[in-house]
Amino acid sequence: MRDDYLKFELRDTDASMANALRRVMIAEVPTVAIDLVEIEVNSSVLNDEFIAHRLGLIPLTSERAMAMRFSRDCDACDGDGQCEHCSVEFHLRARCVGDQTLDVTSKDLLSSDHTVVPVDFSDSPAGDDNRGIIIVKLRKGQELRLRAIARKGIGKDHAKWSPAATVTFMYEPEIHINEDMMETLTPEQKKEWVESSPTKVFDIDPNTHQSEVVFSVAHLPDKTFGKKFPRSYRLELIVVVVVDPEAYTYDDEVIKKAEAMGKPGLVEIYPKEDSFIFTVESTGAIKASQLVLNAIEVLKAKLDAVRLAEDAVDADDFGELGAHMRGG
Amino acid sequence: MNAPDRYERFVVPEGVKKVSYERDTKIINAATFTIEREDHTVGNILRMQLHQDPNVLFAGYKLPHPLQYKIIVRVSFLCPLVHAIEIHTTSQSSPTQAYNQAINDLDKELDCLKSAFEMLVMFVGGDGEVYKQLLIQAQGTMLVPVQSWKNQRLSVCLGYGLWLTSEL
Ligand SMILES: [Zn+2]
């Protein structure tokens, strides 16, 4: 669990609920993104629309988004960006004066609201440099000056509002090793089988006993058992264990390997159909954990909206046909 | 030029009802619900929740066309003629009641999931120290954190049979 990454397990529910949560996280949890750009000066190599599009895709910190209003629902303004309920204004002024190319990045975007700013990736493990997202590069004499308005929106409208980089879920696998059959394999075969899995699902138990048994056969003449008889054995008792069921990708490689070794049924793997392993990656607009909580909240609101009004339910009870069937 | 606005996909137009329903004229205790501006997200969970209701004989949904932003849910009830005695003795219900009950049950499930998840974030968010303290506090309550063999994952059971496991 990190701010932008979360892995958890959801049990005792069905695929419809898991999928609803996934779909809501991707497409219906609101964030704030730049939606309107007024270019004052643009002498860069990129055209206005191109820059406006790039600005839209910059993730902005959106903890406030759930409480904000959609611009189209806002009755306190006419959508000019000065409204505290539905929009945040940004300004960007950059001009290259030196001989060196100037990088205009998300750090040059000045926000009118300190809670809504371009996401800072400087503390993420991926990038140690603190440069922000490059919007455009300017040569000597080129200039970019603009005003942008960020609004609340959802991924269903445009992917720039999606807070999720990836949200996936998989059935948790249930893995059964046939211990009796496993014991018929030689240590080499066991190692070979363990290594046949592309992901590290199985391993040799680290507590495996390894002992050397030295046969006291020195007093016998070599010809008793023939020249090739070894004087000592390494007796290995190797136990194969499941180390990480979640790493299994349903690739069937270990099952195919068992069959190829002439041991069909060595392992049986079933998906548990009421247990899901979720992986949530956030764009940084909101924390991954907050994304899940917001998704639950949004889904609740959606369900609330599709509830049938009480009077409709009551009216239905006294429906002509229903009354007739029950009364008669 | 004549492209529809993007928001038409999820904003119910003025004068249109979000949910409307129609009783079937041929089959008793069957009804069709039309939900505007919703998709598989709501359609599928509603259908699966309705399947949990023992009184529901049939529940299905369809998205008639990808450019018609609505879903149609059909619910059919056990026919009162067949279950005449039960209908008179047990609580009477109708497709509309079943429909609202399904939504209420889903709502409860989500509430429970939310509190379980909040608990999980409390446990694993921050550092291991918070977790250790909470582990001590949680002993003897209904909340049972279970550490798996790896000592890196944490399961939280919070009633209603809901489980959450997370890596620490
Ligand atoms: Zn406003």
Side-chain angles (χ1 to χ4, degrees), chain A residues 1 6-14 16-17 19-21 23-24 28 35 72 154 156-158 161 172 242-244 246 289 292-293 296-297 299-300 302-310 312-313 315-317 321-322 325-326, chain B residues 6 9-11 18-19 21 23-24 28-29 33 35 38-42 44-45 48 81 88 92-94 96-97 99-100 103-104 106-107 109-111 113-114 117-118 121 124-125 149-150 153 155 161-167:
Chain A
M1 179 166 151
L6 177 67
K7 195 172 174 183
F8 66 97
E9 198 179 310
L10 179 67
R11 290 191 205 155
D12 290 341
T13 186
D14 67 351
S16 71
M17 182 55 85
N19 197 39
L21 282 173
R23 287 176 65 101
V24 169
E28 300 192 53
D35 195 33
R72 60 173 173 276
I154 59 173
K156 229 179 186 181
D157 191 339
H158 190 289
W161 277 299
E172 189 185 352
V242 180
V243 288
D244 191 5
E246 286 167 29
S289 55
V292 180
L293 288 170
I296 296 170
E297 211 49 52
L299 190 54
K300 270 165 66 78
K302 278 170 77 75
L303 283 168
D304 200 46
V306 300
R307 195 174 271 137
L308 211 59
E310 281 298 322
V313 180
D316 186 57
D317 253 359
L321 199 59
M325 293 321 299
R326 287 192 200 97
Chain B
R6 285 197 310 248
R9 243 179 288 182
F10 48 87
V11 176
K18 179 82 179 170
V19 199
Y21 90 100
R23 276 241 164 185
D24 198 295
I28 294 141
N29 257 346
F33 299 84
I35 308 171
E38 288 295 346
D39 55 18
H40 300 285
T41 307
V42 162
N44 202 27
I45 47 170
M48 294 311 283
L81 284 179
H88 282 293
Q92 294 190 358
S93 34
S94 63
T96 45
Q97 282 176 344
Y99 174 88
N100 266 10
I103 292 171
N104 291 341
L106 282 169
D107 204 49
E109 190 179 333
L110 284 169
D111 276 335
L113 177 62
K114 193 181 166 202
F117 193 85
E118 276 168 349
V121 172
V124 297
W149 65 274
K150 258 205 282 186
R153 285 163 65 225
S155 293
L162 262 170
W163 280 83
L164 285 164
T165 307
S166 173
E167 279 174 26

Side-chain angles (χ1 to χ4, degrees), chain A residues 3-245:
Chain A
D3 275 0
D4 62 347
Y5 178 84
L6 177 67
K7 195 172 174 183
F8 66 97
E9 198 179 310
L10 179 67
R11 290 191 205 155
D12 290 341
T13 186
D14 67 351
S16 71
M17 182 55 85
N19 197 39
L21 282 173
R22 183 192 65 89
R23 287 176 65 101
V24 169
M25 279 189 242
I26 292 170
E28 300 192 53
V29 172
T31 64
V32 181
I34 289 173
D35 195 33
L36 194 84
V37 181
E38 277 170 22
I39 308 250
E40 285 161 40
V41 180
N42 176 20
S43 54
S44 79
V45 290
L46 299 185
N47 60 43
D48 296 359
E49 294 89 331
F50 203 121
I51 288 171
H53 179 241
R54 287 181 70 76
L55 288 169
L57 293 173
I58 294 169
L60 308 174
T61 51
S62 307
E63 274 82 26
R64 249 186 67 208
M66 286 293 274
M68 274 172 78
R69 291 183 197 163
F70 284 108
S71 194
R72 60 173 173 276
D73 296 337
C74 186
D75 45 18
C77 70
D78 51 0
D80 61 351
Q82 308 288 341
C83 174
E84 54 171 334
H85 303 293
C86 68
S87 41
V88 178
E89 200 175 5
F90 286 85
H91 285 277
L92 190 151
R93 281 162 204 277
R95 189 186 162 86
C96 182
V97 285
D99 284 330
Q100 200 137 37
T101 313
L102 177 74
D103 290 346
V104 181
T105 71
S106 56
K107 290 194 173 294
D108 297 310
L109 271 173
L110 301 177
S111 171
S112 62
D113 180 344
H114 70 279
T115 62
V116 181
V117 291
V119 171
D120 186 2
F121 293 101
S122 56
D123 57 348
S124 80
D128 43 353
D129 50 352
N130 201 0
R131 287 191 303 167
I133 301 163
I134 293 179
I135 297 162
V136 66
K137 291 183 179 185
L138 299 181
R139 261 187 67 184
K140 190 173 187 179
Q142 292 179 340
E143 190 182 5
L144 180 65
R145 214 159 66 212
L146 57 88
R147 188 176 86 104
I149 293 165
R151 292 179 178 147
K152 174 182 174 173
I154 59 173
K156 229 179 186 181
D157 191 339
H158 190 289
K160 69 184 174 187
W161 277 299
S162 177
T166 40
V167 183
T168 62
F169 68 84
M170 64 178 260
Y171 288 120
E172 189 185 352
E174 197 168 358
I175 304 173
H176 295 289
I177 298 174
N178 185 332
E179 302 289 350
D180 294 340
M181 199 181 280
M182 186 58 82
E183 281 321 297
T184 64
L185 296 184
T186 65
E188 285 71 33
Q189 279 179 312
K190 283 180 187 171
K191 276 181 191 151
E192 200 186 326
W193 183 78
V194 163
E195 277 155 21
S196 73
S197 176
T199 50
K200 205 164 177 60
V201 181
F202 304 95
D203 204 356
I204 308 292
D205 191 328
N207 302 321
T208 293
H209 306 287
Q210 282 196 358
S211 52
E212 202 156 325
V213 179
V214 182
F215 285 87
S216 308
V217 288
H219 63 282
L220 292 171
D222 274 356
K223 57 187 164 188
T224 312
F225 300 107
K227 283 258 190 237
K228 294 214 167 109
F229 190 78
R231 292 300 168 96
S232 76
Y233 275 111
R234 260 164 63 91
L235 188 70
E236 284 179 293
L237 186 72
I238 283 185
V239 181
V240 176
V241 288
V242 180
V243 288
D244 191 5

